[in-house]
Amino acid sequence: MNTRLKKLNLSTLSFGVLLLMMLLGASCSKEKDKTKVYDSPEAIPVSREMIAELTSPPNVPKPTGRRKAKKLIVNMEILEKEGEMTDGVKYVYWTFGGSVPGSFIRTKIGDEVEFHLKNHPDNKLPHNIDLHAVTGPGGGATSSFISPGHEAQFSFKVLNPGLYVYHCATAPVGMHIANGMYGLILVEPEEGLPEVDREYYVMQGDFYTKGENGDRGLQPFDMKKAVDEDADYVVFNGKVGSLTGDNAITANVGETVRLYVGNGGPNLVSSFHVIGEIFDAVRVEGGDLINENVQTTLVPAGGAAIVEFKVDVPGTFILVDHSIFRAFNKGALGMLKVQGDDNKKIYSGKQEEGIYQPEGGGIQEMPAEEGVATTEETAKTFEEKMEYGKATYMQTCFACHQAEGQGIANAFPPLAKSDYLNADLNRAIDIILHGKTGEITVNGEKYNSVMTKQDLTDEEISNVLTYVYNSWGNSKKEITPSMVASRRNVH
Ligand SMILES: [Cu+2]
């Protein structure tokens, strides 16, 4: 199919030449519009400003076409929100723009991007952004670190064309990425990318949950499995089934399709493959190198690729990570549904939808166990206090202090056997009510970070602190709602 590709390039070329002749005819000074005139992308001037169109997967913004470099304003909001990993399995995702992967950003070489990163006030954690398309320390991470309820602004000029990953780089970095904080930013060359009929955004990620694959209820992140690279879910676009059935991407026979494929990781490398198609062209690793006639392309963690192909026959084409157990057992399976007339010369067989989905990527066994209890009711006994307190802990505190209260070195202090906690009960209540900043020493280690104020009722705080004080070798105190109430107005 590479003849088609050459034809494509040829037609854009002749169109370009025609346009150039027209421009030359109009005025000689217009010649400076050609890239070659600039010594480096750095010298490309920006004309006017525009607000960037941001899209959630599988959609991508409109091509930049022949527009000139601009001051491009990107407004990106970070949202921590509960979503569904698969049927009956909930997960708290941390997102750029409300989706996993985060909003797709489309730029043109020479653009001066003015980036506004907003951390929603309801979020619990500070975040930042490292864009691989940025030339500068941390890819923007150091300039964009923000706590909930704040906005950070920084600017950069895009100098290199290609498809780049962006991600959060706040400690513990692996955990922020594992919770979904990644996405793609495209830098188009001066002349734009060749036109195609369909463009889609697909990004792989691996997830680590306390329970096994398919265990129901709200599943907290599991740090140990993440460190061991033992993924429970490997998925496209943040969840099992994001690209299957009614969510499948579509095309018509005869159309050209371009997929912007990214891999957020945090750990696994993707062997990206579309069953029943051959990639006519792959922009290897999202760069300038074009490889033709490719069956499977490797997408590294923190990397990307652009794949292009023409669909010649109708049917359902399955997108997979060809590390195949991930596709059929962990979720890395999507669908491209192609409609149109058969072409018996190319493929004679009967097309059957779903033929490649035997064990069913999304079908998990359903263990009887229910999810964690909620804390709506008032605890009547000590046992109930412990039970409700644990539920609150697993929903609110575990993300930072970890499931066994062990904390994370240099980032979140331990609550297990914490001398700081055990020394002063009122101080502990105050920390939950009002938050805490500034240096503290816990079990001989210094921490200097931010714990945001927790939006919990007196009942919830009394339960969660009772749970913490009566777990992991702490001093076994029982806290009542009225003890919490009496601290509300003390600051
Ligand atoms: Cu983050």
Side-chain angles (χ1 to χ4, degrees):
M1 289 291 139
N2 42 10
T3 45
R4 183 202 53 80
L5 200 84
K6 274 171 200 142
K7 248 188 271 156
L8 210 75
N9 289 340
L10 217 69
S11 63
T12 21
L13 195 75
S14 50
F15 175 66
V17 169
L18 197 76
L19 202 84
L20 189 74
M21 278 160 61
M22 282 161 60
L23 289 171
L24 280 172
S27 148
C28 279
S29 67
K30 288 269 171 67
E31 209 192 343
K32 72 166 185 286
D33 291 335
K34 281 190 70 190
T35 335
K36 288 183 195 96
V37 179
Y38 310 116
D39 296 337
S40 69
E42 195 189 325
I44 301 173
V46 292
S47 70
R48 287 187 307 217
E49 71 177 45
M50 66 183 279
I51 311 263
E53 179 193 0
L54 301 178
T55 59
S56 49
N59 300 311
V60 298
K62 284 182 285 300
T64 59
R66 302 193 58 79
R67 83 159 166 83
K68 307 230 171 26
K70 287 211 159 62
K71 179 172 167 187
L72 188 70
I73 301 180
V74 174
N75 290 307
M76 180 80 84
E77 188 182 36
I78 295 169
L79 294 167
E80 298 166 6
K81 59 178 214 187
E82 192 177 289
E84 210 176 43
M85 181 69 71
T86 186
D87 285 347
V89 180
K90 299 269 198 301
Y91 193 81
V92 176
Y93 294 93
W94 301 348
T95 74
F96 286 108
S99 60
V100 178
S103 309
F104 195 102
I105 310 168
R106 192 161 192 159
T107 71
K108 164 144 285 172
I109 189 157
D111 276 354
E112 194 183 292
V113 179
E114 185 180 287
F115 209 103
H116 296 255
L117 189 64
K118 299 154 205 238
N119 194 346
H120 195 279
D122 291 347
N123 291 345
K124 297 196 167 65
L125 292 150
H127 300 282
N128 64 5
I129 193 166
D130 167 352
L131 301 114
H132 293 178
V134 168
T135 308
T142 41
S143 317
S144 59
F145 184 77
I146 32 158
S147 339
H150 290 84
E151 171 178 339
Q153 185 190 325
F154 65 105
S155 292
F156 59 93
K157 199 164 174 75
V158 285
L159 305 177
N160 305 74
L163 182 61
Y164 298 91
V165 167
Y166 66 77
H167 61 87
C168 182
T170 300
V173 179
M175 179 178 176
H176 284 249
I177 295 177
N179 284 338
M181 297 198 80
Y182 46 75
L184 292 178
I185 173 169
L186 173 68
V187 182
E188 291 200 66
E190 181 70 17
E191 69 282 8
L193 290 171
E195 239 178 83
V196 290
D197 299 310
R198 307 267 174 169
E199 294 187 312
Y200 292 109
Y201 176 17
V202 178
M203 197 161 183
Q204 186 170 318
D206 28 303
F207 288 87
Y208 304 83
T209 54
K210 198 94 215 148
E212 300 306 310
N213 180 304
D215 279 2
R216 292 171 74 86
L218 179 70
Q219 289 294 331
F221 167 73
D222 190 307
M223 189 70 164
K224 170 137 197 341
K225 284 185 184 170
V227 172
D228 293 345
E229 306 193 7
D230 178 14
D232 295 287
Y233 297 91
V234 183
V235 297
F236 296 129
N237 294 355
K239 57 178 287 194
V240 178
S242 65
L243 292 173
T244 62
D246 289 345
N247 301 325
I249 52 177
T250 58
N252 297 315
V253 165
E255 288 183 329
T256 46
V257 178
R258 175 181 292 137
L259 304 179
Y260 296 98
V261 186
N263 186 2
N267 290 318
L268 304 178
V269 164
S270 174
S271 302
F272 187 72
H273 177 82
V274 176
I275 301 177
E277 265 302 338
I278 295 145
F279 305 142
D280 299 328
V282 175
R283 283 164 202 267
V284 179
E285 295 171 3
D288 285 348
L289 180 67
I290 296 184
N291 196 2
E292 295 180 348
N293 304 322
V294 176
Q295 57 190 305
T296 299
T297 194
L298 211 57
V299 190
I306 303 176
V307 309
E308 295 170 7
F309 51 92
K310 185 181 168 206
V311 285
D312 299 294
V313 295
T316 298
F317 297 83
I318 314 284
L319 285 55
V320 293
D321 178 340
H322 215 296
S323 290
I324 210 71
F325 276 105
R326 296 177 190 168
F328 292 119
N329 300 77
K330 293 187 172 182
L333 185 145
M335 291 177 182
L336 166 67
K337 291 191 177 174
V338 178
Q339 288 195 319
D341 296 331
D342 283 346
N343 184 338
K344 301 281 188 219
K345 270 191 192 152
I346 294 178
Y347 188 70
S348 65
K350 189 179 173 206
Q351 304 292 313
E352 218 172 289
E353 196 176 296
I355 196 164
Y356 275 110
Q357 217 197 355
E359 299 103 309
I363 303 163
Q364 325 288 354
E365 6 158 356
M366 305 294 190
E369 217 185 328
E370 273 304 304
V372 275
T374 62
T375 54
E376 306 277 297
E377 313 101 285
T378 311
K380 283 168 214 80
T381 60
F382 179 76
E383 283 65 37
E384 276 183 0
K385 275 187 98 75
M386 289 294 281
E387 187 193 331
Y388 297 161
K390 182 175 185 182
T392 299
Y393 186 85
M394 294 312 281
Q395 276 164 22
T396 309
C397 324
F398 89 93
C400 301
H401 293 289
Q402 302 297 290
E404 302 299 320
Q406 71 272 35
I408 291 177
N410 305 318
F412 304 118
L415 299 181
K417 291 202 187 75
S418 162
D419 56 1
Y420 187 92
L421 170 84
N422 292 315
D424 191 337
L425 182 70
N426 283 334
R427 184 173 63 185
I429 297 174
D430 292 351
I431 288 176
I432 320 278
L433 281 172
H434 308 300
K436 175 94 188 80
T437 53
E439 189 178 280
I440 58 171
T441 304
V442 182
N443 298 346
E445 300 290 333
K446 284 193 179 9
Y447 295 86
N448 193 351
S449 186
V450 185
M451 172 164 151
T452 44
K453 134 188 201 312
Q454 302 298 308
D455 202 7
L456 299 171
T457 63
D458 294 351
E459 166 82 15
E460 286 168 327
I461 293 177
S462 74
N463 291 343
V464 76
L465 273 179
T466 300
Y467 171 71
V468 168
Y469 271 108
N470 289 277
S471 304
W472 321 308
N474 286 328
S475 60
K476 300 200 183 303
K477 294 186 182 71
E478 187 172 343
I479 291 89
T480 63
S482 61
M483 287 161 78
V484 178
S486 72
R487 301 298 301 173
R488 277 246 176 228
N489 299 317
V490 188
H491 205 155

